[in-house]
């Protein structure tokens, strides 16, 4: 940073939990905390949306583009479009929404590995589709339906089309990445279609991750208040390797919910 030209600025958006949750190396967190200003970002409120719609500059832009959506218009309505896309009017929508649930849960859990197509297919076929389709976990999910759904979500379209799933290039391959508004909608407990991180993902991670990776996910789970999931992830670890703060948080949560035997063990 010291080598940058005077007055040069870099802006980035970061999850607050990355900064204080132990998910970044200490040196990286120190560098990111050094610059002077942090601004809290939030959703556009209904009042702000109404005010923006009356701004003369926006009216001029909208008139110039006739019926075609423009940037400010997309920013104002995209949350509604995300919410609409998560509703399930038919069986084809089940496939797409199940895939989005899996991708969003992976991101919300703070898994320190990029999501791959192979992993998202495992999650989709081993529980996510069955849950939304109200089928038994033993019922096989169609591989053909999975392929159709992911190709539909990733397909190129008009510039104004809302891309709920994208692919980024990293480590020599591409990785699915959900639209940044999806986790916000998922975390909303005030209205549907918000949802809790699925036990399907926690079960998968408890078996698939290495011990250091599992500890990172545990810290993320504790930060989110997912203490039962944290307990599940820690069951196979050497107690001496478990951070004291994580153990204490789990104990307090168990105590508060009346699970005294569990709380005593973690205390």
């Amino acid at each position: 940073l010291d080598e940058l030209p005077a007055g040069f600025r870099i802006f980035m958006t970061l999850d607050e939990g990355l900064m204080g949750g132990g998910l970044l190396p200490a040196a990286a967190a120190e560098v990111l905390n050094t610059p002077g200003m942090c601004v809290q970002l939030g959703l556009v409120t209904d009042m702000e949306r109404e005010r923006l719609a009356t701004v003369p500059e926006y009216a001029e832009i909208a008139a110039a583009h006739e019926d075609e959506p423009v940037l400010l218009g997309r920013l104002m309505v995209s949350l509604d479009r995300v919410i609409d896309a998560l509703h399930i009017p038919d069986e084809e929508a089940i496939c797409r929404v199940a895939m989005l649930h899996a991708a969003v849960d992976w991101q919300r859990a703070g898994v320190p590995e990029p999501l791959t197509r192979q992993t998202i297919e495992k999650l989709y076929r081993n529980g996510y589709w069955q849950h939304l389709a109200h089928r038994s976990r033993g019922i096989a999910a169609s591989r053909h339906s999975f392929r159709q759904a992911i190709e539909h979500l990733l397909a190129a379209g008009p510039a104004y089309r809302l891309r709920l799933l994208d692919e980024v290039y990293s480590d020599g391959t591409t990785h699915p990445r959900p639209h940044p508004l999806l986790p916000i909608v998922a975390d909303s407990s005030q209205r549907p279609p918000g949802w809790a991180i699925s036990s399907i993902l926690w079960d998968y991670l408890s078996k698939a991750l290495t011990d250091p990776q599992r500890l990172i996910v545990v810290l993320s789970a504790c930060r989110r208040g997912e203490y039962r999931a944290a307990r599940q992830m820690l069951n196979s670890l050497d107690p001496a390797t478990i951070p004291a703060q994580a153990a204490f948080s789990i104990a307090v949560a168990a105590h508060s919910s009346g699970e005294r035997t569990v709380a005593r063990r973690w205390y």
Side-chain angles (χ1 to χ4, degrees):
L1 290 176
D2 292 337
E3 297 174 2
L4 294 174
F8 191 82
R9 298 289 183 268
I10 298 174
F11 295 89
M12 64 182 75
T13 54
L14 288 173
D15 185 336
E16 286 180 290
L18 287 174
M19 305 303 292
L23 302 181
L24 286 176
E30 182 179 356
V31 168
L32 290 171
N33 275 314
T34 299
M37 179 170 291
C38 292
V39 178
Q40 295 291 103
L41 299 180
L43 300 178
V44 177
T45 66
D46 290 339
M47 185 180 298
E48 288 170 330
R49 190 178 297 190
E50 291 173 6
R51 181 170 55 79
L52 284 169
T54 64
V55 173
E57 290 78 6
Y58 176 71
E60 292 175 10
I61 294 171
H65 288 75
E66 297 181 350
D67 295 330
E68 182 180 330
V70 292
L71 177 61
L72 181 56
R74 292 210 307 275
L75 290 174
M76 290 169 63
V77 302
S78 56
L79 183 65
D80 295 332
R81 293 168 69 187
V82 168
I83 291 171
D84 289 343
L86 289 169
H87 289 119
I88 304 177
D90 52 46
E91 289 194 9
E92 286 189 10
I94 292 174
C95 302
R96 295 193 296 270
V97 174
M99 196 175 307
L100 293 174
H101 275 224
V104 171
D105 283 359
W106 185 273
Q107 183 168 316
R108 290 196 293 166
V111 184
E113 283 288 319
L115 182 63
T116 64
R117 282 203 188 198
Q118 292 77 14
T119 301
I120 202 172
E121 183 174 1
K122 284 181 186 176
L123 295 169
Y124 171 90
R125 290 167 54 82
N126 294 333
Y128 273 88
W129 174 82
Q130 291 87 341
H131 173 71
L132 289 181
H134 303 291
R135 305 289 180 87
S136 163
R137 288 280 289 271
I139 301 295
S142 165
R143 179 165 287 164
H144 175 70
S145 295
F146 168 82
R147 288 173 179 164
Q148 278 191 318
I150 196 166
E151 293 305 328
H152 174 84
L153 288 169
L154 293 173
Y160 55 82
R161 178 179 169 225
L162 186 67
R163 293 285 294 272
L164 294 176
L165 195 67
D166 205 350
E167 281 193 311
V168 293
Y169 189 79
S170 164
D171 299 327
T173 187
T174 55
H175 304 285
R177 178 183 63 180
H179 189 286
L181 284 179
L182 278 166
I184 295 172
V185 173
D187 281 337
S188 174
S189 57
Q190 283 75 33
R191 57 178 174 176
W195 69 91
I197 295 177
S198 174
S199 61
I200 298 161
L201 179 69
W202 297 125
D203 291 343
Y204 174 84
L205 295 177
S206 65
K207 298 167 186 171
L209 298 182
T210 64
D211 287 355
Q213 290 173 329
R214 196 176 291 122
L215 278 175
I216 291 173
V217 173
V218 164
L219 291 172
S220 177
C222 288
R223 179 171 56 85
R224 295 181 57 85
E226 301 269 5
Y227 297 109
R228 288 182 180 274
R231 278 157 44 184
Q232 176 184 353
M233 302 285 290
L234 290 173
N235 278 337
S236 62
L237 290 182
D238 178 357
T241 66
I242 298 173
Q245 184 58 48
F248 185 73
S249 298
I250 292 170
V252 170
H255 192 174
S256 299
S257 62
E259 299 176 274
R260 294 190 176 185
T261 302
V262 173
R264 190 173 292 115
R265 174 195 165 198
W266 287 97
Y267 277 132

